[in-house]
Amino acid sequence: MIACPGVHRRTPVALAACLVSFAAFWAAQRAAHVSMIDLMVYRAEGATVRAGGDLYALRATAARLPTTYPPFAALLFTPLTLLDTATMRTLATAGNLALLVVFAGLSLRLVGHARVESVWWVAAVAVWCEPVWTTLRYGQINLLLAVLVLWDLSRRPGDRWAGVGIGLAAAVKLTPALFVAFLLATGVVARRRHGRGGCWLRHARLAAAWFTGATLLAAAVLPYDSWRFWTRVVFAAGRVGYAEDTANQALRGVLARLLHTPEPGAAWVVTAAVVGAAGLGVAVAAELRGQRDWAVTSCAVTALLISPVSWSHHWVWCLPVVLLLGTHAYRAAALSALLVFSSYALWWVPHGPGRHELHQNGIELTLSALYGTTGCLFLVLAGITGTAIGNSRLGQAVTKE
Protein backbone atom coordinates (compact mmCIF):
# COMPACT_ATOMS: atom_id res chain seq x y z
CA MET A 1 0.00 0.00 0.00
CA ILE A 2 1.34 3.44 -0.95
CA ALA A 3 0.88 6.06 1.75
CA CYS A 4 -0.74 9.33 0.75
CA PRO A 5 1.92 12.06 0.48
CA GLY A 6 -0.52 14.51 2.07
CA VAL A 7 -0.45 12.52 5.30
CA HIS A 8 3.31 12.98 5.59
CA ARG A 9 3.04 16.71 4.89
CA ARG A 10 0.31 17.47 7.43
CA THR A 11 2.41 16.86 10.55
CA PRO A 12 5.38 19.12 9.57
CA VAL A 13 2.95 21.87 8.57
CA ALA A 14 1.12 21.58 11.88
CA LEU A 15 4.42 21.56 13.79
CA ALA A 16 5.61 24.66 11.93
CA ALA A 17 2.33 26.45 12.65
CA CYS A 18 2.64 25.57 16.35
CA LEU A 19 6.22 26.83 16.55
CA VAL A 20 5.23 30.10 14.83
CA SER A 21 2.33 30.50 17.23
CA PHE A 22 4.56 29.81 20.25
CA ALA A 23 7.19 32.26 18.99
CA ALA A 24 4.56 34.97 18.52
CA PHE A 25 3.18 34.19 21.96
CA TRP A 26 6.64 34.44 23.55
CA ALA A 27 7.25 37.76 21.81
CA ALA A 28 3.86 39.06 22.96
CA GLN A 29 4.58 38.07 26.55
CA ARG A 30 7.94 39.82 26.46
CA ALA A 31 6.34 42.93 24.94
CA ALA A 32 3.77 42.88 27.73
CA HIS A 33 6.60 42.78 30.33
CA VAL A 34 4.96 39.92 32.20
CA SER A 35 6.02 39.72 35.82
CA MET A 36 5.73 35.94 36.35
CA ILE A 37 4.91 36.99 39.87
CA ASP A 38 3.73 33.56 41.06
CA LEU A 39 6.98 32.01 39.89
CA MET A 40 8.81 34.56 42.01
CA VAL A 41 6.68 33.51 44.99
CA TYR A 42 7.56 29.87 44.35
CA ARG A 43 11.24 30.79 44.33
CA ALA A 44 10.84 32.69 47.60
CA GLU A 45 9.16 29.65 49.13
CA GLY A 46 12.08 27.46 48.08
CA ALA A 47 14.53 29.97 49.54
CA THR A 48 12.60 30.05 52.81
CA VAL A 49 12.74 26.26 53.05
CA ARG A 50 16.49 26.25 52.45
CA ALA A 51 16.99 28.99 55.04
CA GLY A 52 14.81 27.27 57.63
CA GLY A 53 12.41 30.22 57.79
CA ASP A 54 8.72 30.41 58.64
CA LEU A 55 7.03 29.37 55.40
CA TYR A 56 3.57 30.74 56.17
CA ALA A 57 4.83 34.02 57.53
CA LEU A 58 6.43 34.71 54.14
CA ARG A 59 5.32 37.73 52.13
CA ALA A 60 6.98 37.66 48.73
CA THR A 61 7.45 40.24 45.97
CA ALA A 62 6.38 43.88 46.08
CA ALA A 63 2.75 42.68 46.24
CA ARG A 64 3.54 40.88 49.53
CA LEU A 65 1.89 37.66 48.42
CA PRO A 66 1.60 34.86 51.00
CA THR A 67 2.34 31.15 50.75
CA THR A 68 -0.88 29.24 50.08
CA TYR A 69 0.16 25.76 48.87
CA PRO A 70 0.86 22.75 51.12
CA PRO A 71 4.44 22.35 52.42
CA PHE A 72 5.21 19.59 49.90
CA ALA A 73 4.98 22.17 47.11
CA ALA A 74 7.60 24.33 48.80
CA LEU A 75 9.98 21.37 48.88
CA LEU A 76 9.58 21.00 45.12
CA PHE A 77 10.31 24.70 44.63
CA THR A 78 13.74 24.61 46.29
CA PRO A 79 15.66 23.91 43.01
CA LEU A 80 14.40 27.26 41.70
CA THR A 81 16.80 28.97 44.10
CA LEU A 82 19.73 27.57 42.13
CA LEU A 83 18.78 29.62 39.04
CA ASP A 84 19.09 33.31 38.35
CA THR A 85 15.82 35.11 37.65
CA ALA A 86 16.25 35.42 33.87
CA THR A 87 17.13 31.75 33.41
CA MET A 88 14.30 30.66 35.69
CA ARG A 89 11.74 32.67 33.72
CA THR A 90 13.00 31.35 30.39
CA LEU A 91 12.95 27.74 31.55
CA ALA A 92 9.50 28.18 33.14
CA THR A 93 8.05 29.57 29.91
CA ALA A 94 9.64 26.85 27.77
CA GLY A 95 8.54 24.19 30.22
CA ASN A 96 4.95 25.43 30.26
CA LEU A 97 4.82 25.48 26.46
CA ALA A 98 6.09 21.90 26.39
CA LEU A 99 3.50 20.94 29.01
CA LEU A 100 0.80 22.55 26.87
CA VAL A 101 1.73 20.24 24.00
CA VAL A 102 1.60 17.23 26.32
CA PHE A 103 -1.72 18.41 27.76
CA ALA A 104 -3.14 18.82 24.25
CA GLY A 105 -2.02 15.29 23.38
CA LEU A 106 -3.52 13.78 26.53
CA SER A 107 -6.75 15.73 26.02
CA LEU A 108 -7.06 14.52 22.44
CA ARG A 109 -6.39 10.96 23.56
CA LEU A 110 -9.07 11.36 26.23
CA VAL A 111 -11.71 12.28 23.65
CA GLY A 112 -10.59 9.57 21.23
CA HIS A 113 -8.74 11.69 18.69
CA ALA A 114 -5.16 10.47 18.25
CA ARG A 115 -3.80 12.22 15.13
CA VAL A 116 -0.33 13.62 15.76
CA GLU A 117 -0.85 16.73 13.66
CA SER A 118 -3.95 17.58 15.72
CA VAL A 119 -1.80 17.94 18.83
CA TRP A 120 0.24 20.70 17.21
CA TRP A 121 -2.81 22.52 15.82
CA VAL A 122 -4.62 22.40 19.17
CA ALA A 123 -1.56 23.63 21.08
CA ALA A 124 -1.04 26.44 18.54
CA VAL A 125 -4.56 27.75 19.21
CA ALA A 126 -4.82 26.93 22.93
CA VAL A 127 -1.77 29.00 23.86
CA TRP A 128 -3.80 32.15 23.17
CA CYS A 129 -6.80 31.34 25.38
CA GLU A 130 -6.95 33.36 28.58
CA PRO A 131 -6.32 30.58 31.15
CA VAL A 132 -3.17 29.45 29.32
CA TRP A 133 -1.95 33.00 28.63
CA THR A 134 -2.38 33.90 32.30
CA THR A 135 -0.77 30.67 33.47
CA LEU A 136 2.39 31.56 31.54
CA ARG A 137 2.10 35.23 32.46
CA TYR A 138 2.24 34.41 36.16
CA GLY A 139 4.59 31.43 35.82
CA GLN A 140 1.92 29.17 37.29
CA ILE A 141 1.90 25.36 37.64
CA ASN A 142 -1.64 24.67 36.41
CA LEU A 143 -0.53 22.84 33.26
CA LEU A 144 1.80 20.61 35.26
CA LEU A 145 -0.99 19.57 37.64
CA ALA A 146 -3.45 18.99 34.79
CA VAL A 147 -0.90 16.84 32.95
CA LEU A 148 -0.25 14.78 36.08
CA VAL A 149 -3.97 14.10 36.51
CA LEU A 150 -4.67 13.30 32.86
CA TRP A 151 -1.56 11.14 32.57
CA ASP A 152 -2.67 9.23 35.64
CA LEU A 153 -6.19 8.68 34.31
CA SER A 154 -4.81 7.42 31.01
CA ARG A 155 -3.16 4.45 32.77
CA ARG A 156 -4.58 1.01 32.12
CA PRO A 157 -6.40 -0.74 34.99
CA GLY A 158 -3.84 -2.37 37.23
CA ASP A 159 -0.95 -0.21 36.05
CA ARG A 160 1.52 0.06 38.92
CA TRP A 161 1.88 3.81 38.32
CA ALA A 162 -1.85 4.47 38.54
CA GLY A 163 -2.49 6.94 41.37
CA VAL A 164 0.93 8.59 41.28
CA GLY A 165 -0.12 11.62 39.24
CA ILE A 166 -3.32 12.38 41.13
CA GLY A 167 -1.69 11.81 44.51
CA LEU A 168 1.26 14.10 43.82
CA ALA A 169 -0.93 16.76 42.20
CA ALA A 170 -3.18 16.79 45.29
CA ALA A 171 -0.14 17.04 47.57
CA VAL A 172 1.01 20.14 45.68
CA LYS A 173 -2.46 21.71 45.48
CA LEU A 174 -5.58 20.33 47.13
CA THR A 175 -8.12 20.82 44.31
CA PRO A 176 -7.11 17.63 42.37
CA ALA A 177 -8.03 15.60 45.47
CA LEU A 178 -11.61 15.54 44.15
CA PHE A 179 -10.39 12.98 41.62
CA VAL A 180 -9.65 10.62 44.51
CA ALA A 181 -13.23 11.07 45.71
CA PHE A 182 -14.43 10.45 42.15
CA LEU A 183 -12.52 7.17 41.88
CA LEU A 184 -13.64 6.08 45.34
CA ALA A 185 -17.31 6.89 44.68
CA THR A 186 -17.20 5.09 41.32
CA GLY A 187 -15.72 1.99 42.92
CA VAL A 188 -18.28 1.95 45.73
CA VAL A 189 -21.24 2.36 43.36
CA ALA A 190 -19.88 -0.27 40.96
CA ARG A 191 -19.41 -2.75 43.79
CA ARG A 192 -22.93 -2.22 45.09
CA ARG A 193 -24.54 -2.46 41.66
CA HIS A 194 -22.46 -5.13 39.98
CA GLY A 195 -20.39 -6.70 42.74
CA ARG A 196 -17.16 -5.39 41.29
CA GLY A 197 -15.34 -2.08 41.38
CA GLY A 198 -11.90 -3.10 42.48
CA CYS A 199 -9.99 -1.22 39.77
CA TRP A 200 -11.44 2.13 40.82
CA LEU A 201 -11.04 1.41 44.53
CA ARG A 202 -7.44 0.32 44.02
CA HIS A 203 -6.74 3.44 41.96
CA ALA A 204 -8.25 5.63 44.70
CA ARG A 205 -6.21 3.87 47.40
CA LEU A 206 -2.97 4.30 45.48
CA ALA A 207 -3.67 7.99 44.83
CA ALA A 208 -4.45 8.49 48.51
CA ALA A 209 -1.28 6.62 49.46
CA TRP A 210 0.91 8.82 47.23
CA PHE A 211 -0.76 11.93 48.60
CA THR A 212 -0.20 10.72 52.16
CA GLY A 213 3.39 9.75 51.48
CA ALA A 214 4.23 13.14 49.95
CA THR A 215 2.49 14.95 52.81
CA LEU A 216 4.32 12.90 55.45
CA LEU A 217 7.63 13.54 53.70
CA ALA A 218 6.95 17.26 53.91
CA ALA A 219 5.97 16.87 57.57
CA ALA A 220 9.25 15.11 58.32
CA VAL A 221 11.28 17.89 56.68
CA LEU A 222 9.05 20.81 57.69
CA PRO A 223 7.21 19.75 60.86
CA TYR A 224 6.28 23.25 62.08
CA ASP A 225 5.11 24.46 58.68
CA SER A 226 3.13 21.27 58.12
CA TRP A 227 1.40 21.56 61.49
CA ARG A 228 0.56 25.17 60.83
CA PHE A 229 -0.79 24.49 57.33
CA TRP A 230 -2.99 21.51 58.19
CA THR A 231 -4.39 23.04 61.39
CA ARG A 232 -4.82 26.68 60.36
CA VAL A 233 -3.80 27.81 56.88
CA VAL A 234 -5.84 25.21 55.00
CA PHE A 235 -9.03 26.69 56.50
CA ALA A 236 -8.13 30.33 55.79
CA ALA A 237 -9.75 30.82 52.37
CA GLY A 238 -9.38 34.58 52.65
CA ARG A 239 -5.61 34.24 52.78
CA VAL A 240 -5.50 33.58 49.03
CA GLY A 241 -7.22 36.85 48.11
CA TYR A 242 -10.56 38.61 48.04
CA ALA A 243 -13.45 36.28 47.24
CA GLU A 244 -15.06 38.81 44.90
CA ASP A 245 -11.94 39.34 42.79
CA THR A 246 -12.94 39.15 39.13
CA ALA A 247 -10.24 36.53 38.56
CA ASN A 248 -11.99 34.18 41.01
CA GLN A 249 -14.22 32.14 38.72
CA ALA A 250 -15.32 29.66 41.39
CA LEU A 251 -18.90 29.71 42.66
CA ARG A 252 -17.74 31.58 45.76
CA GLY A 253 -16.40 34.41 43.62
CA VAL A 254 -19.49 34.54 41.43
CA LEU A 255 -21.80 34.68 44.47
CA ALA A 256 -19.67 37.29 46.23
CA ARG A 257 -20.01 39.61 43.23
CA LEU A 258 -23.68 38.77 42.67
CA LEU A 259 -24.62 39.39 46.32
CA HIS A 260 -22.25 42.39 46.62
CA THR A 261 -20.63 40.93 49.71
CA PRO A 262 -16.98 40.13 50.52
CA GLU A 263 -18.02 36.75 51.92
CA PRO A 264 -21.08 34.87 50.60
CA GLY A 265 -21.01 32.50 53.59
CA ALA A 266 -23.90 30.03 53.82
CA ALA A 267 -25.10 30.81 50.29
CA TRP A 268 -21.80 29.55 48.92
CA VAL A 269 -21.63 26.52 51.24
CA VAL A 270 -25.09 25.33 50.18
CA THR A 271 -24.52 26.05 46.49
CA ALA A 272 -21.11 24.38 46.48
CA ALA A 273 -22.53 21.32 48.26
CA VAL A 274 -25.35 20.95 45.73
CA VAL A 275 -23.14 21.53 42.69
CA GLY A 276 -20.41 19.30 44.13
CA ALA A 277 -22.79 16.40 44.74
CA ALA A 278 -24.47 16.82 41.34
CA GLY A 279 -21.20 17.21 39.45
CA LEU A 280 -19.62 14.22 41.15
CA GLY A 281 -22.77 12.20 40.43
CA VAL A 282 -22.57 13.11 36.74
CA ALA A 283 -18.89 12.13 36.65
CA VAL A 284 -19.47 8.78 38.37
CA ALA A 285 -22.43 7.94 36.14
CA ALA A 286 -20.39 8.74 33.02
CA GLU A 287 -17.47 6.60 34.21
CA LEU A 288 -19.76 3.65 34.87
CA ARG A 289 -21.14 3.99 31.33
CA GLY A 290 -17.58 3.78 30.00
CA GLN A 291 -17.48 7.48 29.05
CA ARG A 292 -14.24 8.47 30.73
CA ASP A 293 -13.99 11.66 28.68
CA TRP A 294 -17.24 13.02 30.12
CA ALA A 295 -16.33 11.69 33.58
CA VAL A 296 -12.90 13.31 33.79
CA THR A 297 -13.98 16.68 32.42
CA SER A 298 -17.06 16.75 34.66
CA CYS A 299 -14.94 16.02 37.73
CA ALA A 300 -12.40 18.70 36.78
CA VAL A 301 -15.09 21.33 36.21
CA THR A 302 -16.80 20.39 39.48
CA ALA A 303 -13.53 20.80 41.37
CA LEU A 304 -13.01 24.27 39.87
CA LEU A 305 -16.56 25.35 40.72
CA ILE A 306 -16.63 24.24 44.35
CA SER A 307 -13.11 25.31 45.30
CA PRO A 308 -13.12 28.47 47.45
CA VAL A 309 -10.89 30.16 44.89
CA SER A 310 -10.41 29.15 41.25
CA TRP A 311 -8.45 31.87 39.53
CA SER A 312 -9.02 32.24 35.82
CA HIS A 313 -5.68 30.55 35.08
CA HIS A 314 -6.85 27.43 36.91
CA TRP A 315 -9.37 26.90 34.10
CA VAL A 316 -6.82 25.36 31.71
CA TRP A 317 -9.22 22.40 31.84
CA CYS A 318 -11.22 24.36 29.27
CA LEU A 319 -9.02 22.64 26.66
CA PRO A 320 -10.38 19.08 27.08
CA VAL A 321 -13.87 20.52 27.64
CA VAL A 322 -13.86 22.28 24.26
CA LEU A 323 -12.34 19.25 22.51
CA LEU A 324 -14.92 16.95 24.09
CA LEU A 325 -17.83 19.11 22.97
CA GLY A 326 -16.40 19.38 19.47
CA THR A 327 -15.84 15.66 19.02
CA HIS A 328 -19.35 14.81 20.28
CA ALA A 329 -21.05 17.03 17.69
CA TYR A 330 -21.88 19.79 20.15
CA ARG A 331 -20.13 22.18 17.82
CA ALA A 332 -22.16 25.28 18.78
CA ALA A 333 -21.41 24.62 22.46
CA ALA A 334 -17.73 24.00 21.68
CA LEU A 335 -17.46 27.24 19.72
CA SER A 336 -19.26 29.16 22.46
CA ALA A 337 -16.93 27.76 25.13
CA LEU A 338 -13.89 28.54 23.00
CA LEU A 339 -15.08 32.14 22.60
CA VAL A 340 -15.67 32.46 26.35
CA PHE A 341 -12.20 31.27 27.28
CA SER A 342 -10.51 33.25 24.51
CA SER A 343 -12.39 36.53 24.96
CA TYR A 344 -10.62 37.79 28.12
CA ALA A 345 -14.07 39.24 28.90
CA LEU A 346 -13.73 38.89 32.66
CA TRP A 347 -11.00 41.56 32.51
CA TRP A 348 -13.32 44.03 30.75
CA VAL A 349 -15.03 44.88 34.05
CA PRO A 350 -13.69 47.32 36.66
CA HIS A 351 -11.22 45.51 38.91
CA GLY A 352 -8.09 46.05 40.96
CA PRO A 353 -7.51 48.16 44.09
CA GLY A 354 -10.71 49.63 45.46
CA ARG A 355 -12.73 46.38 45.36
CA HIS A 356 -14.81 47.55 42.40
CA GLU A 357 -16.21 44.04 41.97
CA LEU A 358 -18.54 44.58 44.94
CA HIS A 359 -20.44 47.22 42.96
CA GLN A 360 -20.90 45.62 39.54
CA ASN A 361 -23.97 46.17 37.40
CA GLY A 362 -25.83 43.48 35.46
CA ILE A 363 -23.58 43.45 32.41
CA GLU A 364 -20.42 43.44 34.52
CA LEU A 365 -21.78 40.62 36.67
CA THR A 366 -22.46 38.58 33.54
CA LEU A 367 -18.98 39.14 32.11
CA SER A 368 -17.25 38.34 35.41
CA ALA A 369 -19.22 35.09 35.79
CA LEU A 370 -18.57 33.62 32.33
CA TYR A 371 -16.25 30.78 33.40
CA GLY A 372 -18.42 29.70 36.32
CA THR A 373 -21.58 29.88 34.21
CA THR A 374 -19.95 27.92 31.38
CA GLY A 375 -18.83 25.29 33.88
CA CYS A 376 -22.36 24.90 35.30
CA LEU A 377 -23.88 24.68 31.81
CA PHE A 378 -21.33 22.04 30.87
CA LEU A 379 -22.33 19.90 33.86
CA VAL A 380 -26.00 20.26 32.89
CA LEU A 381 -25.18 19.18 29.32
CA ALA A 382 -23.12 16.26 30.61
CA GLY A 383 -26.02 15.16 32.80
CA ILE A 384 -28.54 15.46 29.96
CA THR A 385 -26.23 13.56 27.61
CA GLY A 386 -25.79 10.78 30.15
CA THR A 387 -29.54 10.51 30.73
CA ALA A 388 -30.20 10.33 26.98
CA ILE A 389 -27.60 7.59 26.53
CA GLY A 390 -29.00 5.66 29.49
CA ASN A 391 -32.55 5.86 28.13
CA SER A 392 -31.33 4.81 24.67
CA ARG A 393 -29.60 1.73 26.07
CA LEU A 394 -32.67 0.88 28.13
CA GLY A 395 -34.86 1.17 25.04
CA GLN A 396 -32.52 -1.11 23.10
CA ALA A 397 -32.64 -3.68 25.88
CA VAL A 398 -36.45 -3.62 25.97
CA THR A 399 -36.62 -3.95 22.18
CA LYS A 400 -34.34 -7.00 22.23
CA GLU A 401 -36.52 -8.67 24.85
Side-chain angles (χ1 to χ4, degrees):
M1 180 180 294
I2 300 176
C4 176
V7 174
H8 295 290
R9 286 197 295 266
R10 283 200 293 265
T11 298
V13 170
L15 174 58
C18 184
L19 293 177
V20 170
S21 179
F22 281 8
F25 175 87
W26 200 315
Q29 290 253 317
R30 289 180 65 87
H33 301 290
V34 295
S35 63
M36 303 191 80
I37 190 170
D38 287 343
L39 181 63
M40 302 307 295
V41 174
Y42 300 158
R43 190 172 191 268
E45 291 180 27
T48 301
V49 169
R50 292 188 63 186
D54 188 337
L55 188 60
Y56 295 100
L58 173 68
R59 291 296 183 273
T61 75
R64 296 186 58 77
L65 297 177
T67 302
T68 58
Y69 293 174
F72 180 69
L75 290 181
L76 299 183
F77 296 149
T78 53
L80 296 177
T81 60
L82 304 176
L83 304 172
D84 61 81
T85 301
T87 302
M88 179 180 66
R89 288 178 172 174
T90 299
L91 290 178
T93 301
N96 264 326
L97 290 174
L99 285 168
L100 176 60
V101 174
V102 176
F103 189 44
L106 289 171
S107 298
L108 285 165
R109 183 192 302 177
L110 178 70
V111 302
H113 191 93
R115 292 179 181 174
V116 175
E117 66 269 17
S118 297
V119 176
W120 300 114
W121 285 118
V122 168
V125 174
V127 73
W128 296 99
C129 74
E130 191 275 340
V132 175
W133 169 278
T134 312
T135 288
L136 274 82
R137 173 189 176 188
Y138 294 147
Q140 263 282 344
I141 58 172
N142 306 301
L143 288 168
L144 173 61
L145 299 181
V147 164
L148 283 172
V149 171
L150 266 191
W151 172 84
D152 195 329
L153 291 170
S154 68
R155 301 298 90 201
R156 295 179 179 178
D159 190 310
R160 63 176 180 174
W161 294 106
V164 176
I166 293 174
L168 293 180
V172 172
K173 195 170 186 177
L174 295 179
T175 307
L178 189 66
F179 283 95
V180 181
F182 154 69
L183 292 168
L184 178 62
T186 304
V188 170
V189 173
R191 176 156 292 180
R192 288 183 177 180
R193 288 183 181 178
H194 312 293
R196 64 186 192 285
C199 61
W200 291 292
L201 294 174
R202 182 168 55 253
H203 200 158
R205 286 196 302 269
L206 289 171
W210 278 94
F211 167 79
T212 302
T215 301
L216 290 177
L217 172 63
V221 179
L222 303 169
Y224 173 74
D225 293 321
S226 295
W227 173 260
R228 189 174 180 188
F229 178 83
W230 293 108
T231 59
R232 292 176 56 188
V233 175
V234 71
F235 303 109
R239 179 186 178 89
V240 181
Y242 294 132
E244 77 276 4
D245 194 313
T246 190
N248 184 9
Q249 292 295 301
L251 291 172
R252 179 166 168 263
V254 173
L255 288 172
R257 294 187 291 273
L258 181 64
L259 301 176
H260 305 293
T261 175
E263 182 49 67
W268 167 64
V269 174
V270 172
T271 304
V274 172
V275 172
L280 200 58
V282 168
V284 169
E287 179 73 4
L288 292 174
R289 288 192 306 269
Q291 296 177 300
R292 173 150 287 194
D293 47 1
W294 286 100
V296 172
T297 49
S298 295
C299 185
V301 168
T302 301
L304 291 169
L305 288 172
I306 68 175
S307 174
V309 174
S310 289
W311 301 127
S312 67
H313 51 77
H314 295 164
W315 285 79
V316 293
W317 283 95
C318 67
L319 177 55
V321 166
V322 170
L323 292 174
L324 172 66
L325 294 173
T327 55
H328 283 274
Y330 293 110
R331 292 185 176 84
L335 180 59
S336 299
L338 180 61
L339 290 175
V340 164
F341 290 107
S342 301
S343 66
Y344 296 71
L346 71 162
W347 299 111
W348 300 354
V349 305
H351 60 276
R355 309 188 75 171
H356 304 288
E357 293 92 338
L358 292 175
H359 311 285
Q360 291 181 346
N361 58 36
I363 295 176
E364 292 167 347
L365 286 170
T366 300
L367 292 175
S368 64
L370 282 177
Y371 290 11
T373 302
T374 301
C376 289
L377 291 175
F378 174 78
L379 291 181
V380 171
L381 180 60
I384 293 173
T385 300
T387 301
I389 292 174
N391 290 338
S392 175
R393 290 179 178 175
L394 179 61
Q396 292 174 1
V398 171
T399 302
K400 289 179 179 179
E401 291 180 0

